[in-house]
Amino acid sequence: MTISEILAIVFGSFGMITGIIGLIISILGYNRSKFDIINAFFQYMLDSEFIQSRKFVYNLPENKIIDNTYSDKEQNYIATVANTYHHYGLLVKRRQLPLWIFYDKKEKKLTASGIAVIRMYNKLKETIKNRRNNGNVEYARYFEWLYNELNNKLQNNDKRKQS
């Protein structure tokens, strides 16, 4: 074996080891970024402004439409909830935030966060429709997507139970 063949084997092996290490580091980085998103989700659920906004929405009567006749503060509560769940719905759809935060696949039931999505959407459904009808056609689109996704999971479970 010549020196150039030995060097080719050594450098080839070194390159392969470097590539494997790089792959491991990128996988660990991806897992870390997912953890950071999950952590940010749970931290935001404890934010005092978001808690106040959820409280306002929980106390709304069914089929209530919050429009421009309401105070800026009340409209802001609605926007905070709708935009937050829209954001998290987008993250779930793009697979940045795992669905298990809202739906426990093993237990086949909604988590507390999933129950909150269903309750909030049901309270805000008419307001969302109203805002869409008034020109904001994309308003809370991914919030609605997340709601539909969770409802589909529940309906599929109900069908399996009945079979």
Side-chain angles (χ1 to χ4, degrees):
M1 222 189 301
T2 67
I3 190 119
S4 62
E5 291 172 330
I6 294 172
L7 287 174
I9 291 170
V10 168
F11 287 119
S13 299
F14 182 70
M16 186 172 63
I17 291 169
T18 303
I20 291 170
I21 290 171
L23 180 64
I24 290 169
I25 289 171
S26 69
I27 289 170
L28 291 174
Y30 177 75
N31 288 340
R32 174 64 189 191
S33 70
K34 270 219 168 180
F35 173 77
D36 289 343
I37 290 171
I38 293 166
N39 187 43
F41 170 82
F42 285 117
Q43 288 297 318
Y44 189 71
M45 291 295 122
L46 300 174
D47 180 74
S48 61
E49 181 183 337
F50 189 62
I51 290 170
Q52 191 68 25
S53 298
R54 284 193 326 242
K55 186 176 178 181
F56 175 78
V57 172
Y58 282 141
N59 292 322
L60 284 175
E62 292 295 320
N63 300 319
K64 186 75 170 173
I65 296 176
I66 305 298
D67 57 15
N68 292 338
T69 62
Y70 286 82
S71 73
D72 288 345
K73 187 175 184 180
E74 291 170 326
Q75 290 183 55
N76 189 43
Y77 287 148
I78 299 299
T80 297
V81 170
N83 291 337
T84 297
Y85 285 113
H86 172 78
H87 174 78
Y88 289 127
L90 175 62
L91 289 176
V92 169
K93 185 166 183 164
R94 301 286 183 225
R95 300 181 192 273
Q96 297 297 311
L97 185 66
L99 185 62
W100 61 256
I101 288 177
F102 303 100
Y103 179 79
D104 187 339
K105 189 173 165 181
K106 189 175 180 182
E107 298 287 326
K108 294 185 173 37
K109 65 180 187 177
L110 293 173
T111 64
S113 297
I115 292 168
V117 169
I118 299 294
R119 282 182 70 191
M120 294 291 178
Y121 186 82
N122 284 333
K123 292 281 189 169
L124 296 178
K125 189 184 315 186
E126 295 304 317
T127 298
I128 290 170
K129 283 181 188 175
N130 184 50
R131 291 195 179 177
R132 288 180 179 169
N133 290 339
N134 288 323
N136 193 349
V137 295
E138 294 294 314
Y139 187 76
R141 177 175 154 207
Y142 292 107
F143 182 13
E144 183 176 49
W145 177 88
L146 183 58
Y147 169 82
N148 289 333
E149 191 73 15
L150 296 174
N151 264 339
N152 289 340
K153 297 279 186 197
L154 291 176
Q155 288 172 2
N156 288 339
N157 288 339
D158 289 343
K159 287 178 187 175
R160 286 185 193 128
K161 286 179 186 177
Q162 291 173 358
S163 301

